[in-house]
PDB file of all heavy atoms in Angstrom:
ATOM      1  N   SER A 175       1.349   6.241   6.963  1.00 95.00           N
ATOM      2  CA  SER A 175       2.676   6.083   7.542  1.00 95.00           C
ATOM      3  C   SER A 175       3.277   7.510   7.930  1.00 95.00           C
ATOM      4  O   SER A 175       2.624   8.530   7.568  1.00 95.00           O
ATOM      5  CB  SER A 175       3.655   5.475   6.420  1.00 95.00           C
ATOM      6  OG  SER A 175       3.816   6.413   5.332  1.00 95.00           O
ATOM      7  N   TYR A 176       4.362   7.530   8.603  1.00 94.00           N
ATOM      8  CA  TYR A 176       4.986   8.801   8.810  1.00 94.00           C
ATOM      9  C   TYR A 176       5.382   9.422   7.434  1.00 94.00           C
ATOM     10  O   TYR A 176       5.331  10.722   7.424  1.00 94.00           O
ATOM     11  CB  TYR A 176       6.280   8.604   9.715  1.00 94.00           C
ATOM     12  CG  TYR A 176       5.997   8.308  11.192  1.00 94.00           C
ATOM     13  CD1 TYR A 176       6.543   7.188  11.704  1.00 94.00           C
ATOM     14  CD2 TYR A 176       5.165   9.138  11.835  1.00 94.00           C
ATOM     15  CE1 TYR A 176       6.188   6.905  13.070  1.00 94.00           C
ATOM     16  CE2 TYR A 176       4.834   8.843  13.204  1.00 94.00           C
ATOM     17  CZ  TYR A 176       5.364   7.677  13.864  1.00 94.00           C
ATOM     18  OH  TYR A 176       5.063   7.432  15.063  1.00 94.00           O
ATOM     19  N   GLN A 177       5.798   8.637   6.593  1.00 95.00           N
ATOM     20  CA  GLN A 177       6.079   9.222   5.195  1.00 95.00           C
ATOM     21  C   GLN A 177       5.062   9.956   4.599  1.00 95.00           C
ATOM     22  O   GLN A 177       5.128  11.159   4.061  1.00 95.00           O
ATOM     23  CB  GLN A 177       6.597   8.204   4.292  1.00 95.00           C
ATOM     24  CG  GLN A 177       7.074   8.709   2.901  1.00 95.00           C
ATOM     25  CD  GLN A 177       6.967   7.753   1.809  1.00 95.00           C
ATOM     26  OE1 GLN A 177       6.022   7.049   1.697  1.00 95.00           O
ATOM     27  NE2 GLN A 177       8.000   7.806   0.946  1.00 95.00           N
ATOM     28  N   SER A 178       3.822   9.364   4.531  1.00 97.00           N
ATOM     29  CA  SER A 178       2.654  10.093   3.948  1.00 97.00           C
ATOM     30  C   SER A 178       2.217  11.194   4.840  1.00 97.00           C
ATOM     31  O   SER A 178       1.657  12.114   4.324  1.00 97.00           O
ATOM     32  CB  SER A 178       1.615   9.138   3.636  1.00 97.00           C
ATOM     33  OG  SER A 178       1.089   8.374   4.778  1.00 97.00           O
ATOM     34  N   PHE A 179       2.331  11.058   6.071  1.00 97.00           N
ATOM     35  CA  PHE A 179       1.953  12.154   7.010  1.00 97.00           C
ATOM     36  C   PHE A 179       2.852  13.436   6.725  1.00 97.00           C
ATOM     37  O   PHE A 179       2.257  14.471   6.518  1.00 97.00           O
ATOM     38  CB  PHE A 179       2.119  11.773   8.487  1.00 97.00           C
ATOM     39  CG  PHE A 179       1.934  12.901   9.529  1.00 97.00           C
ATOM     40  CD1 PHE A 179       0.677  13.372   9.824  1.00 97.00           C
ATOM     41  CD2 PHE A 179       3.109  13.593   9.863  1.00 97.00           C
ATOM     42  CE1 PHE A 179       0.528  14.368  10.740  1.00 97.00           C
ATOM     43  CE2 PHE A 179       2.958  14.629  10.825  1.00 97.00           C
ATOM     44  CZ  PHE A 179       1.719  15.003  11.142  1.00 97.00           C
ATOM     45  N   PHE A 180       4.183  13.201   6.616  1.00 97.00           N
ATOM     46  CA  PHE A 180       5.039  14.457   6.346  1.00 97.00           C
ATOM     47  C   PHE A 180       4.732  15.059   4.944  1.00 97.00           C
ATOM     48  O   PHE A 180       4.782  16.128   4.782  1.00 97.00           O
ATOM     49  CB  PHE A 180       6.442  13.853   6.531  1.00 97.00           C
ATOM     50  CG  PHE A 180       6.931  13.526   7.803  1.00 97.00           C
ATOM     51  CD1 PHE A 180       7.798  12.563   8.114  1.00 97.00           C
ATOM     52  CD2 PHE A 180       6.452  14.300   8.908  1.00 97.00           C
ATOM     53  CE1 PHE A 180       8.171  12.136   9.401  1.00 97.00           C
ATOM     54  CE2 PHE A 180       6.844  13.985  10.242  1.00 97.00           C
ATOM     55  CZ  PHE A 180       7.767  12.928  10.503  1.00 97.00           C
ATOM     56  N   LEU A 181       4.478  14.127   3.955  1.00 97.00           N
ATOM     57  CA  LEU A 181       4.232  14.589   2.670  1.00 97.00           C
ATOM     58  C   LEU A 181       2.915  15.356   2.515  1.00 97.00           C
ATOM     59  O   LEU A 181       2.765  16.460   1.971  1.00 97.00           O
ATOM     60  CB  LEU A 181       4.129  13.441   1.697  1.00 97.00           C
ATOM     61  CG  LEU A 181       5.466  12.783   1.132  1.00 97.00           C
ATOM     62  CD1 LEU A 181       5.150  11.516   0.401  1.00 97.00           C
ATOM     63  CD2 LEU A 181       6.305  13.781   0.338  1.00 97.00           C
ATOM     64  N   ALA A 182       1.945  14.841   3.366  1.00 98.00           N
ATOM     65  CA  ALA A 182       0.643  15.514   3.316  1.00 98.00           C
ATOM     66  C   ALA A 182       0.720  16.856   4.061  1.00 98.00           C
ATOM     67  O   ALA A 182       0.157  17.938   3.552  1.00 98.00           O
ATOM     68  CB  ALA A 182      -0.452  14.715   4.020  1.00 98.00           C
ATOM     69  N   ARG A 183       1.481  16.877   5.152  1.00 97.00           N
ATOM     70  CA  ARG A 183       1.664  18.149   5.813  1.00 97.00           C
ATOM     71  C   ARG A 183       2.401  19.160   4.978  1.00 97.00           C
ATOM     72  O   ARG A 183       2.003  20.327   4.959  1.00 97.00           O
ATOM     73  CB  ARG A 183       2.664  17.896   7.080  1.00 97.00           C
ATOM     74  CG  ARG A 183       2.758  19.094   7.974  1.00 97.00           C
ATOM     75  CD  ARG A 183       3.799  18.792   9.088  1.00 97.00           C
ATOM     76  NE  ARG A 183       5.141  18.565   8.428  1.00 97.00           N
ATOM     77  CZ  ARG A 183       6.219  18.142   9.113  1.00 97.00           C
ATOM     78  NH1 ARG A 183       6.143  17.925  10.350  1.00 97.00           N
ATOM     79  NH2 ARG A 183       7.237  17.878   8.519  1.00 97.00           N
ATOM     80  N   ASP A 184       3.449  18.768   4.258  1.00 97.00           N
ATOM     81  CA  ASP A 184       4.175  19.679   3.347  1.00 97.00           C
ATOM     82  C   ASP A 184       3.349  20.178   2.134  1.00 97.00           C
ATOM     83  O   ASP A 184       3.692  21.185   1.605  1.00 97.00           O
ATOM     84  CB  ASP A 184       5.391  18.981   2.888  1.00 97.00           C
ATOM     85  CG  ASP A 184       6.507  18.787   4.014  1.00 97.00           C
ATOM     86  OD1 ASP A 184       6.291  19.347   5.125  1.00 97.00           O
ATOM     87  OD2 ASP A 184       7.403  17.834   3.804  1.00 97.00           O
ATOM     88  N   SER A 185       2.296  19.282   1.816  1.00 97.00           N
ATOM     89  CA  SER A 185       1.480  19.719   0.735  1.00 97.00           C
ATOM     90  C   SER A 185       0.235  20.412   1.129  1.00 97.00           C
ATOM     91  O   SER A 185      -0.700  20.724   0.372  1.00 97.00           O
ATOM     92  CB  SER A 185       1.065  18.428  -0.075  1.00 97.00           C
ATOM     93  OG  SER A 185       2.168  17.761  -0.541  1.00 97.00           O
ATOM     94  N   HIS A 186       0.232  20.760   2.387  1.00 96.00           N
ATOM     95  CA  HIS A 186      -0.947  21.537   3.142  1.00 96.00           C
ATOM     96  C   HIS A 186      -2.263  20.805   2.918  1.00 96.00           C
ATOM     97  O   HIS A 186      -3.360  21.416   2.722  1.00 96.00           O
ATOM     98  CB  HIS A 186      -1.053  22.889   2.437  1.00 96.00           C
ATOM     99  CG  HIS A 186       0.283  23.696   2.579  1.00 96.00           C
ATOM    100  ND1 HIS A 186       0.884  24.128   3.701  1.00 96.00           N
ATOM    101  CD2 HIS A 186       1.203  24.005   1.577  1.00 96.00           C
ATOM    102  CE1 HIS A 186       1.942  24.720   3.535  1.00 96.00           C
ATOM    103  NE2 HIS A 186       2.316  24.651   2.239  1.00 96.00           N
TER     104      HIS A 186
END
Side-chain angles (χ1 to χ4, degrees):
S175 65
Y176 287 127
Q177 182 205 42
S178 57
F179 171 82
F180 292 139
L181 285 171
R183 183 192 62 186
D184 293 345
S185 299
H186 306 289

